[in-house]
Amino acid sequence: MPRSTSPGRAPDAATSNESTDSTRRRIVAAATEEFARHGIAGARVDRIAKQARTSKERVYAYFRSKEALYAHVAQRETAALVEATQLDPADLPGYAGILFDHFTARPDHYRLITWGRLELAEATDNTAGPLQATIAGKLDKLRDAQRIGLLDPAWDPVDVLALINQITMTWAGQPEIAAVAADQAVDPSITARRAAVVTAVERLFPRPDRDQRPSRLV
């Protein structure tokens, strides 16, 4: 059951500074691991508190509920994803490779976000606005690329983004096939899986010739 917050503290305020608040930082780190492993329903605040070397009461002093804690963690992880995976509309295969690298290095991020999609499908949380704004920005870049001839205008930019995301997360979302690939793929290396993803996107959305690329999209 959610606890009330301590006097004078706004637990989810944007002004909270995790870089100087070591207890809050430990709680967020422990929660990130807990949610990625167990989902929202399966996560336990007592385990988060133990891992963070604090008390359940202290966790609830920072975050009014387990769901609020998840929303904070998801927003933080989404911001990190956006920062690490900038879209270059003149190099969509390269963008696919960047996404693949991120989810290969951070399988916990994929699991954490997937849990939220499954368990909070009907909910509005703190990640919706920023994430939708990021998607809208990427769609604008794709439309600009179409306008100046870098991307086939026959494609709907929404489909372009959805297809690239799905292709790049193929292996993150199918660990059972990844396990089989380790034994049965012609080349079982992660390099080969990455090359397949980049090639698939390249065939759908080829890179323009270098002399077609402007120094920047306007």
Side-chain angles (χ1 to χ4, degrees):
M1 177 181 297
R3 306 302 206 281
S4 59
T5 59
S6 55
R9 177 177 292 277
D12 301 318
T15 54
S16 296
N17 191 339
E18 286 171 15
S19 65
T20 58
D21 189 333
S22 61
T23 301
R24 183 184 175 94
R25 187 168 63 248
R26 291 197 308 273
I27 290 170
V28 171
T32 301
E33 181 179 339
E34 179 76 6
F35 287 128
R37 181 174 298 177
H38 300 288
I40 303 169
R44 295 291 178 265
V45 175
D46 55 349
R47 285 198 298 253
I48 293 172
K50 181 177 180 180
Q51 181 67 20
R53 305 192 307 280
T54 189
S55 65
K56 288 177 63 175
E57 290 73 21
R58 192 63 174 161
V59 173
Y60 284 121
Y62 284 100
F63 301 95
R64 65 185 179 274
S65 67
K66 183 169 65 171
E67 289 74 20
L69 177 53
Y70 173 83
H72 176 83
V73 168
Q75 183 180 28
R76 185 172 176 271
E77 290 296 298
T78 298
L81 171 64
V82 170
E83 181 64 27
T85 58
Q86 299 293 318
L87 182 147
D88 178 359
D91 185 10
L92 295 180
Y95 172 64
I98 291 171
L99 281 175
F100 178 89
D101 291 341
H102 177 83
F103 287 110
T104 297
R106 292 289 313 277
D108 58 317
H109 175 89
Y110 178 83
R111 292 193 303 270
L112 187 146
I113 298 301
T114 299
W115 279 117
R117 287 172 176 165
L118 291 172
E119 298 187 51
L120 298 178
E122 304 299 325
T124 301
D125 59 48
N126 293 339
T127 66
L131 184 55
Q132 289 177 1
T134 296
I135 292 171
K138 290 181 178 181
L139 293 176
D140 285 342
K141 287 185 177 182
L142 293 173
R143 292 187 188 100
D144 286 342
Q146 289 176 321
R147 177 175 54 80
I148 62 177
L150 296 181
L151 179 64
D152 185 352
W155 287 99
D156 189 316
V158 173
D159 292 325
V160 174
L161 195 59
L163 287 168
I164 292 175
N165 285 347
Q166 193 62 39
I167 291 169
T168 57
M169 290 187 283
T170 294
W171 295 101
Q174 301 185 84
E176 67 281 358
I177 298 182
V180 172
D183 294 326
Q184 299 192 25
V186 174
D187 181 346
S189 70
I190 195 68
T191 301
R193 305 288 76 75
R194 186 186 194 277
V197 164
V198 172
T199 298
V201 174
E202 172 74 34
R203 292 183 181 181
L204 283 171
F205 313 112
R207 296 179 177 92
D209 295 334
R210 289 192 176 277
D211 57 4
Q212 291 181 273
R213 303 184 190 183
S215 57
R216 66 184 180 90
L217 287 173
V218 294

